[in-house]
Structures are given as C-alpha cells and as structure tokens.
C-alpha cells in the first residue's frame, strides 16, 4: 500500500472523527453564568433545620395573633375590671374556665386579654430596640473600625458610657423621665447600641487591611462603598445572630425593670408587669396560673428567637452553602 493511499485513509478518518467548532457568543456567556444567590442559598440551608422552621412559623403565628386578637369576636378588654354578678364584687382570682380562658387576676381583669396585650407591648419594645441597636450599632461600629482617625474619639465615648453600669443608666432615666412606653424604649436605646458597635468594630479591624480592601482603597473606592460592599457582607452571619438575640434581650430588660418596680406603669399591660404580678402569688398553688401563663409565652418568644438566630447565623455563612 502506497503512502498516498495511507494519507487518503488518514484524511477520511480525521474527517469522520473531528469537526471544526464554531464560536457562539451567547453560548460563551451562558458558560460563565452562575445562578448562585446568597440569600436563596441561605434560606435553603435555614429550611433544612426543621426545628428552626417550626419556631419561625410559631413566632409568625404569635405576631399575627397579637395584632388581630383585639378584633376577634368575644375578646375582653385587658384593663376592664369584671364584676361577679352574684356578689356584685370584683371577680378576683377567678380560675380558668370557658368564659375566662386564663382566669382573672387579683383585681378581676381578664388574664387572657392581658397576656396578649402585654405580648404586643413587649414585642414592640424588643423589635424597636433591636432595630435601633442593629442600625446605629452597625453604622458606628463600621466607622469606628475602618476610619482610623475616628477610633480614639469613639473609643473615649464608648468608655465613658460603658463604664457606667447599664442597669444604673436605665434606672436613672426611668426616674428622671415620666414612666411610659416611650421612656422605656428611649432608656434601652441609649445603651443598646454599645455592644453591637464594639462587636462590629472588632470584626472590621480584623479584616480591614486585607489585600482586596487595600486594593479598593488604592483605586479610589469611597469609604462608604468599601464598608457596604467589602466589609459588612463578610459579617452578615454574626450580625444577624446579634440582631436575633437583641430582641429577647430587650424583652428581658423590660421584665427586669418591671420586676424591680421601675418598668412600665401597671395600667400598661406587659409581660414584665404580668410576671411581676404573678410572682407575688406564686406561693399559693391555686393562683400560680397567673405566673405560669405569661412565663410560658415569654419563654416561647425568647427561646424561639435564640434558636432561630443561631441557625440563621450558620445558614448565612457561605461556607455552608452548596
């Protein structure tokens, strides 16, 4: 067999085995495309934890019910004192029954409606204080950690406020100002941002001098953009955990201040007021329901936020994304 025949056979084989690949601009764009979404992946990881999903649904139900409860049929007023028709006296310490599902307190007020009214008040305090702590704490902490010339000034302000015990500040403010819901929220907001600001500052100091941040600064990227695009996204998981814990912490402070007699007026139902009232009756076994019911609601709220915060912090970590 001659060399020409061999070359013809080789050419025919090459034509059958290979073909020229054309360039497709759209296909090239699709090849470099990724449908990864940070928040979608975070939600997918979060929903894999069935306990956290259950607690999330439970909290949503509680929030919705606290809003619509006063408008439901057959609901009683939380501040109205009910009278016993047979004795014409206050219906004091009435045991739970069909009419009064959670019974009445020591002056004849319906405990069911007072618990949900108190839950509304405590959740309002917790959410407002938690949002304030997150917004102000993150802003001040980010500037404190990244802008070096502000470090000394903010540190001195922090030291002055932080060296005074938080409880002392809360007590003084509640003494100076008229006891009310606004006073309670203002007093907690005065010191609530300190922990978040210090926490964010320490984390930003660790990562502010990394190569990609130095490169952005050398290229003239504004400080605001470096903080919002390079630094804070890296801290989303731990910041969300702190935010989730801030809400039950604020509720806990409200319960504590009311417990020592410096909280909301008795005329404003709150979980702190209800627990404080039930505490005085806890030694009487027949009246312990006045402490047990609000304590159960408070425990459900605080435990739910704590568990969801920890699970969401893990889910927000990109290392846990598939």
């Amino acid at each position: 067999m001659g060399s020409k025949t061999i070359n013809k056979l080789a050419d025919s084989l090459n034509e059958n085995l290979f073909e020229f690949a054309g360039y497709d601009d759209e296909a090239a764009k699709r090849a470099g495309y990724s449908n990864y979404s940070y928040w979608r992946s975070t939600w997918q990881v979060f929903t894999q934890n069935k306990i956290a999903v259950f607690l999330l649904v439970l909290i949503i139900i509680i929030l919705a019910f606290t809003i619509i409860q006063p408008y439901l049929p057959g609901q009683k007023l939380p501040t109205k004192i009910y009278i016993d028709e047979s004795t014409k006296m206050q219906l004091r310490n009435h045991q739970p029954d069909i009419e009064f599902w959670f019974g009445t307190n020591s002056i004849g007020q319906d405990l069911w409606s007072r618990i949900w009214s108190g839950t509304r008040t405590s959740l309002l305090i917790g959410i407002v204080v938690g949002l304030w702590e997150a917004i102000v704490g993150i802003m001040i902490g980010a500037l404190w950690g990244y802008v070096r010339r502000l470090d000394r000034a903010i540190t001195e302000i922090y030291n002055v406020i932080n060296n005074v015990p938080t409880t002392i500040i809360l007590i003084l403010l509640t003494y100076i100002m008229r006891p009310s819901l606004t006073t309670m929220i203002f007093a907690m907001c005065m010191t609530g941002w300190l922990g978040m600001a210090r926490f964010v500052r320490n984390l930003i100091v660790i990562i502010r001098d990394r190569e990609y941040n130095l490169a952005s600064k050398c290229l003239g990227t504004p400080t605001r953009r470096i903080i919002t695009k390079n630094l804070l996204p890296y801290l989303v998981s731990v910041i969300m955990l702190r935010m989730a814990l801030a809400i039950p912490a604020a509720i806990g402070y409200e319960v504590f201040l009311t417990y020592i007699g410096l909280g909301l007026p008795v005329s404003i139902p709150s979980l702190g007021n209800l627990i404080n009232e039930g505490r005085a009756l806890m030694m009487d076994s027949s009246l312990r329901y006045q402490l047990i019911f609000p304590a159960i609601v408070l425990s459900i709220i605080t435990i739910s936020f704590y568990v969801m915060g920890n699970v969401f912090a893990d889910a927000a970590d990109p290392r846990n994304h598939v």
Side-chain angles (χ1 to χ4, degrees):
M1 184 179 295
S3 59
K4 291 183 178 181
T5 306
I6 294 175
N7 290 335
K8 288 181 179 180
L9 289 172
D11 291 339
S12 63
L13 289 173
N14 290 335
E15 291 177 357
N16 294 330
L17 294 177
F18 302 99
E19 61 181 7
F20 287 103
Y23 176 74
D24 187 345
D25 185 59
E26 293 299 325
K29 291 179 180 179
R30 289 195 299 271
Y33 171 76
S34 173
N35 64 347
Y36 171 78
S37 171
Y38 173 80
W39 291 110
R40 184 174 67 248
S41 299
T42 299
W43 175 250
Q44 290 174 350
V45 176
F46 180 85
T47 53
Q48 291 176 3
N49 190 307
K50 303 305 180 184
I51 296 177
V53 173
F54 170 76
L55 293 176
L56 175 62
V57 173
L58 184 61
I59 285 294
I60 292 174
I61 292 174
I62 290 176
L63 285 172
F65 188 76
T66 56
I67 295 172
I68 66 174
Q69 183 267 335
Y71 307 103
L72 295 176
Q75 300 299 308
K76 296 177 172 58
L77 297 176
T79 56
K80 181 179 178 181
I81 298 176
Y82 290 88
I83 305 298
D84 189 347
E85 295 297 333
S86 59
T87 62
K88 304 300 181 182
M89 300 289 290
Q90 296 173 347
L91 194 62
R92 298 179 178 179
N93 300 323
H94 185 72
Q95 295 292 319
D97 58 12
I98 297 177
E99 183 179 0
F100 297 95
W101 294 353
F102 283 1
T104 62
N105 61 8
S106 57
I107 61 174
Q109 294 172 324
D110 179 47
L111 199 57
W112 165 267
S113 58
R114 285 184 64 80
I115 284 177
W116 292 114
S117 178
T119 303
R120 278 195 303 275
T121 303
S122 296
L123 283 175
L124 175 63
I125 294 173
I127 291 173
V128 171
V129 175
L131 289 176
W132 173 268
E133 176 179 337
I135 295 172
V136 176
I138 291 172
M139 288 176 58
I140 295 178
L143 293 173
W144 187 6
Y146 187 75
V147 183
R148 298 175 189 271
R149 62 178 177 271
L150 296 177
D151 183 70
R152 183 175 181 82
I154 299 179
T155 300
E156 294 301 327
I157 296 173
Y158 173 85
N159 289 335
V160 170
I161 301 176
N162 191 58
N163 283 334
V164 181
T166 302
T167 305
I168 300 294
I169 296 176
L170 295 175
I171 291 174
L172 288 176
L173 287 174
T174 52
Y175 264 125
I176 295 171
M177 303 174 68
R178 181 182 177 184
S180 65
L181 183 62
T182 305
T183 301
M184 179 72 69
I185 293 176
F186 176 77
M188 292 185 183
C189 289
M190 282 289 293
T191 58
W193 60 272
L194 292 173
M196 177 68 82
R198 181 74 180 184
F199 181 71
V200 173
R201 183 258 183 192
N202 291 340
L203 293 176
I204 286 183
V205 166
I206 295 173
I207 65 175
R208 69 183 178 187
D209 293 327
R210 292 186 177 179
E211 290 78 3
Y212 58 91
N213 292 321
L214 295 177
S216 296
K217 190 173 183 179
C218 291
L219 291 173
T221 306
T223 300
R224 176 182 59 82
R225 187 171 180 82
I226 292 176
I227 292 175
T228 57
K229 299 295 183 181
N230 290 10
L231 299 177
L232 291 182
Y234 186 84
L235 309 176
V236 166
S237 61
V238 288
I239 288 175
M240 292 303 297
L241 174 60
R242 295 280 302 199
M243 288 178 61
L245 298 181
I247 295 176
I251 296 175
Y253 263 122
E254 183 269 323
V255 172
F256 167 72
L257 288 176
T258 306
Y259 184 81
I260 63 176
L262 297 173
L264 296 173
V266 181
S267 58
I268 301 177
S270 71
L271 291 178
N273 272 332
L274 294 171
I275 290 176
N276 190 40
E277 293 172 3
R279 174 185 61 87
L281 304 171
M282 64 182 298
M283 300 308 296
D284 189 339
S285 60
S286 63
L287 302 179
R288 286 176 187 166
Y289 66 89
Q290 297 186 32
L291 174 64
I292 293 174
F293 290 138
I296 290 174
V297 175
L298 176 64
S299 300
I300 291 174
I301 293 173
T302 53
I303 292 173
S304 297
F305 275 110
Y306 179 79
V307 173
M308 288 190 302
N310 280 279
V311 174
F312 189 85
D314 293 336
D317 191 342
R319 290 173 295 183
N320 294 328
H321 297 176
V322 179

